[in-house]
Amino acid sequence: MVQILDEGSGLLGRMEICIAEAEKRSGKNAMSMQETFTVYLIETRLTDAAADGRSPAPNFLWRRYSEFELLRSYLTVTYPYIVVPPLPEKRAEFVWHKLSADNMDPDFVERRRVGLENFLLRVALHPVLSDDRILHRFLTEEHGWKEVVCDTGFQAKADSRLRALNATFRVRNPEKCFLEMKHYSDQLQSNTAQLLRARARVADRLYGVYKIHGNYGRVFRFESKSTVPVKPVNEWSAIEKEMGDGLQSAGHHMDAYAASIDDILEEEEHYADQIKEYLFYSEALRAVCRKHELTQFELEMSSQDLVCKKQQREELATGIVRTFSLKGMTHKLFGHEAPEQKEARLRLLEEMIEEGEETVRVKTAEWREHVDKACEEMRRFKEQTDRDLREALVNYAVMQISMCKKGIQVWSNTKECFLKM
């Protein structure tokens, strides 16, 4: 799914990365309770050393899914303008009825292994994320990397959902780029979710259609139900001797056709997982939008506070109160304050205004940087989305065509069996 493009190839230009295998383990959790979990073996090898004629040994280390979650949380907080690649699902979603939803199911664990490898490859290909030192530690140091992550203080920087929600409803002038990004993420989520639901329904129907072909096999190869241990006799062949071999062969073709659906739908899950990745990408897009709204909201609040401070300075200096305030009414009722008090308040306001102007400058620079980088990231992400979804859908269509051709071939072979009777 991940294509290595000629953009410097990021970390993948210097290192090979793969998740070689998954392993089920048991141990005690933080509550000292026994639990079963899965660990994944990450294998890395430096390729620039190989280019120099050296052959370094590969590095191996085990990681749990929760460690991948910690890495992604760190990247999301540290790079708020980047659409950080999503992790594969922790538990199966959009499953058809014969597919196990157990997160310890071997097939599900294998698909998640592929998804986690895909996550690492996407991060390692990103022009910014691939240079992060925590990512390098995650890939090469089995112990101690969590402590380094916590020392960055990223958890303290994480924005609360309440603050983000407040900013969403109170920001005054959101950037057009981010309005379009939010609309795009909504459409991406809606379209991929509908596609996955439709595919799950089709898989259920298709499974039934294929399996019911096994009834043809049982009819063509109908064996005696007698409890006497005699050689099974085809009922039709008992009536029409010449039909026996042809019916037996046709029955075998039908049995093979009915059994083939299991492998077909397992292959389909691979393409469904590629679509699911972009379903989860939609939430990563919205996270970038929420960070922008929060950044702009903080800028607007700082600017508004600065305007209020300047207005207070003007009113105090001129003695003309332009807006109603309790303090203004107090002055009218009890007289103005002493000149010394007035000078002290003016000096305090001047200091607060200087601090406010500096805060606005910092917030404006932070806001502008986020806008510029996020819009560029959005452009890159759209190109990636178009390329990946086109490839996934084309491959899915090719697989469906191949499946139909195999079905035609089975019925053609069955026809030949009938013609030979």
Side-chain angles (χ1 to χ4, degrees):
M1 182 67 176
V2 177
Q3 296 181 358
I4 299 179
L5 304 177
D6 190 15
E7 296 177 353
S9 296
L11 181 60
L12 288 186
R14 309 186 301 275
M15 178 185 290
E16 293 177 354
I17 303 171
C18 75
I19 297 183
E21 62 178 282
E23 182 179 291
K24 188 183 296 185
R25 292 183 182 176
S26 296
K28 291 186 177 181
N29 57 21
M31 305 293 291
S32 297
M33 298 177 65
Q34 196 72 14
E35 66 172 346
T36 301
F37 54 89
T38 306
V39 289
Y40 300 88
L41 182 63
I42 300 176
E43 178 182 345
T44 56
R45 185 193 300 270
L46 294 175
T47 54
D48 50 2
D52 295 337
R54 292 175 289 151
S55 182
N59 183 62
F60 298 96
L61 52 82
W62 295 94
R63 295 282 186 229
R64 292 186 62 174
Y65 185 89
S66 58
E67 294 180 275
F68 284 88
E69 289 180 310
L70 179 60
L71 172 64
R72 189 179 184 279
S73 296
Y74 160 78
L75 294 174
T76 301
V77 172
T78 308
Y79 304 96
Y81 53 88
I82 288 177
V83 185
V84 179
L87 294 171
E89 57 195 347
K90 196 164 189 175
R91 286 175 176 77
E93 300 178 25
F94 299 99
V95 298
W96 50 286
H97 80 282
K98 288 292 183 181
L99 190 68
S100 174
D102 180 10
N103 64 343
M104 289 295 174
D105 178 75
D107 291 335
F108 174 75
V109 170
E110 171 58 19
R111 291 198 304 276
R112 191 161 70 177
R113 181 199 66 78
V114 173
L116 290 173
E117 181 178 281
N118 188 69
F119 164 76
L120 290 180
L121 294 177
R122 286 205 184 280
V123 172
L125 270 173
H126 194 281
V128 176
L129 299 180
S130 61
D131 288 330
D132 186 88
R133 65 185 182 89
I134 299 296
L135 171 65
H136 288 231
R137 286 178 176 268
F138 178 87
L139 293 171
T140 58
E141 299 178 17
E142 185 156 13
H143 304 290
W145 85 276
K146 286 184 181 179
E147 289 74 13
V148 177
V149 173
C150 294
D151 289 344
T152 64
F154 85 95
Q155 290 168 319
K157 300 176 187 176
D159 301 314
S160 70
R161 287 186 176 272
L162 184 60
R163 289 180 65 207
L165 186 64
N166 187 42
T168 300
F169 287 108
R170 296 183 62 185
V171 69
R172 294 175 181 174
N173 301 303
E175 284 284 308
K176 182 181 178 182
C177 169
F178 288 92
L179 290 175
E180 293 175 351
M181 188 185 300
K182 185 181 288 188
H183 178 70
Y184 180 81
S185 69
D186 291 341
Q187 290 297 312
L188 182 63
Q189 181 187 42
S190 175
N191 293 335
T192 51
Q194 289 182 43
L195 179 60
L196 288 166
R197 278 193 290 268
R199 182 261 161 186
R201 290 196 297 269
V202 170
D204 273 328
R205 301 283 181 86
L206 198 61
Y207 183 85
V209 168
Y210 266 71
K211 288 301 183 183
I212 208 168
H213 278 70
N215 292 339
Y216 284 127
R218 284 190 291 274
V219 171
F220 296 154
R221 298 181 299 98
F222 187 90
E223 294 177 353
S224 172
K225 303 300 183 183
S226 171
T227 57
V228 180
V230 296
K231 184 178 178 180
V233 179
N234 184 283
E235 189 174 278
W236 279 17
S237 63
I239 301 170
E240 298 288 346
K241 300 289 185 180
E242 294 79 4
M243 295 174 63
D245 292 341
L247 289 172
Q248 287 282 356
S249 298
H252 288 309
H253 286 304
M254 289 295 105
D255 288 342
Y257 184 68
S260 67
I261 189 60
D262 298 294
D263 290 337
I264 289 172
L265 292 182
E266 182 60 35
E267 184 181 354
E268 270 198 12
E269 285 303 316
H270 169 70
Y271 298 113
D273 287 340
Q274 292 179 4
I275 303 299
K276 283 181 185 178
E277 181 186 20
Y278 279 91
L279 174 68
F280 304 144
Y281 254 126
S282 63
E283 178 55 33
L285 271 176
R286 278 195 287 271
V288 175
C289 293
R290 283 195 297 268
K291 182 60 181 179
H292 162 73
E293 290 166 343
L294 186 57
T295 304
Q296 181 157 342
F297 177 67
E298 290 174 348
L299 173 60
E300 290 177 358
M301 291 299 99
S302 299
S303 299
Q304 184 177 329
D305 183 64
L306 179 60
V307 170
C308 290
K309 293 291 189 296
K310 287 182 176 179
Q311 186 174 328
Q312 290 175 24
R313 180 184 63 182
E314 181 184 352
E315 290 175 353
L316 185 60
T318 62
I320 300 174
V321 179
R322 301 181 182 277
T323 58
F324 173 80
S325 67
L326 183 61
K327 190 171 287 187
M329 288 297 297
T330 303
H331 288 166
K332 286 185 178 181
L333 291 172
F334 302 105
H336 292 284
E337 57 193 347
E340 295 81 5
Q341 293 177 312
K342 181 177 179 179
E343 286 297 324
R345 285 188 61 208
L346 277 172
R347 284 195 300 272
L348 179 60
L349 279 172
E350 287 292 348
E351 292 175 2
M352 294 173 69
I353 288 171
E354 288 181 8
E355 292 177 1
E357 288 175 338
E358 178 60 25
T359 300
V360 169
R361 278 195 293 272
V362 171
K363 294 289 183 184
T364 301
E366 180 184 343
W367 172 82
R368 174 47 56 192
E369 180 186 32
H370 188 271
V371 170
D372 292 343
K373 290 183 176 179
C375 289
E376 175 61 25
E377 175 73 6
M378 183 62 184
R379 181 198 63 76
R380 189 193 68 82
F381 174 73
K382 280 187 173 180
E383 291 178 356
Q384 171 191 306
T385 304
D386 292 344
R387 181 178 63 249
D388 288 349
L389 288 181
R390 184 189 307 114
E391 179 188 1
L393 293 173
V394 167
N395 289 339
Y396 180 73
V398 169
M399 194 207 80
Q400 297 297 316
I401 293 170
S402 175
M403 179 182 67
C404 293
K405 286 181 177 179
K406 288 178 181 177
I408 293 172
Q409 186 62 50
V410 166
W411 278 105
S412 298
N413 293 339
T414 303
K415 183 189 74 170
E416 293 299 320
C417 293
F418 293 156
L419 289 174
K420 292 176 182 178
M421 289 193 304

